[in-house]
Amino acid sequence: MQVQDTPEEWQVVATTTPFTGNKTSVRTDDVVMPDGAVVRRDYQVHPGSVAVLALDDQDRVVLLKQYRHPVRQKLWEIPAGLLDVPGENPLHAAQRELYEEAHVKAEDWRVLTDVYTTPGGCDEAVRIFLARGLSEAEGERYEVAEEEADMELSRVPLDQLVRGVLAGELHNNCLVVGVLSLVAARAGDGLDALRPADAPWPARPFEA
């Protein structure tokens, strides 16, 4: 049996958008179930995101510590951000986020994994990249504001992050998935066997 997610779209007989925010919205769909019943489903409509697990030559990961108001915690995270423009190339967005949040550039980029963060209540799709060959970016640092003005930047050994994830001390979705995916890739076919940075992404199609 092949274990693989497959596209499918059940009939929607009515849809409304009761809330529209700056970047996301809430949609309400009336969906026809297999038994013919119609049920209402509310979910957040999201433009999609990219995240970057940036690994240096000392096997350390570039991390940011940022306040997240919904969970009332400061979380250690890997650099990440929204796809600001429909059809935006995710690699370009990831390179931008790594520069803006960490003032770092990378020579080698691979797709580490693609995930839906909370598919029961949000259509957000995230592509997590692995970036290697790190160096300091040129030019002025990006000017930050709001929560980002309080961010803490650090480089943390990968093995320490694995222990923190398994101990329940680290909770950010992209950090957890990225760290464990990296360890799994190393234990499997190796990092050079990862998908190229421009690999297709059906959840958020883009132009090269």
Side-chain angles (χ1 to χ4, degrees):
M1 181 182 69
Q2 185 177 18
V3 181
Q4 181 176 334
D5 298 335
T6 55
E8 185 163 345
E9 189 165 347
W10 292 359
Q11 182 183 5
V12 175
V13 295
T15 186
T16 60
T17 305
F19 171 79
T20 301
N22 184 33
K23 295 291 186 180
T24 67
S25 60
V26 173
R27 183 174 297 163
T28 298
D29 288 344
D30 291 343
V31 186
V32 180
M33 297 289 109
D35 62 1
V38 177
V39 302
R40 182 156 291 176
R41 293 288 179 260
D42 302 314
Y43 58 100
Q44 183 183 21
V45 178
H46 195 285
S49 306
V50 291
V52 185
L53 196 153
L55 187 70
D56 70 14
D57 57 6
Q58 298 180 50
D59 218 35
R60 300 176 303 175
V61 177
V62 175
L63 293 187
L64 310 160
K65 194 173 189 181
Q66 183 172 348
Y67 176 66
R68 294 301 187 182
H69 187 70
V71 296
R72 308 301 200 272
Q73 290 192 33
K74 277 190 172 182
L75 301 181
W76 284 106
E77 306 178 352
I78 57 177
L82 298 176
L83 293 170
D84 293 327
V85 181
E88 181 178 15
N89 187 307
L91 174 59
H92 298 166
Q95 291 169 331
R96 179 187 69 233
E97 294 299 330
L98 185 60
Y99 164 75
E100 291 182 356
E101 295 193 343
H103 202 66
V104 167
K105 63 180 181 179
E107 295 299 322
D108 186 87
W109 291 81
R110 307 278 174 149
V111 175
L112 190 53
T113 191
D114 300 323
V115 295
Y116 292 115
T117 55
T118 49
C122 179
D123 72 350
E124 181 183 13
V126 180
R127 169 155 282 188
I128 303 176
F129 289 90
L130 172 65
R132 294 178 292 172
L134 307 185
S135 61
E136 189 81 2
E138 296 92 358
E140 297 290 327
R141 284 190 172 271
Y142 181 77
E143 187 174 343
V144 295
E146 301 174 350
E147 288 94 342
E148 292 184 350
D150 188 55
M151 284 195 311
E152 180 182 342
L153 181 65
S154 186
R155 297 193 182 196
V156 181
L158 178 64
D159 57 359
Q160 181 179 340
L161 296 179
V162 173
R163 290 193 297 269
V165 168
L166 298 180
E169 299 166 351
L170 300 169
H171 306 90
N172 174 262
N173 182 289
C174 293
L175 171 62
V176 171
V177 173
V179 163
L180 298 185
S181 294
L182 175 59
V183 172
R186 280 181 166 174
D189 296 330
L191 301 185
D192 290 337
L194 290 169
R195 286 173 291 162
D198 60 353
W201 190 17
R204 294 293 185 273
F206 62 92
E207 296 181 5

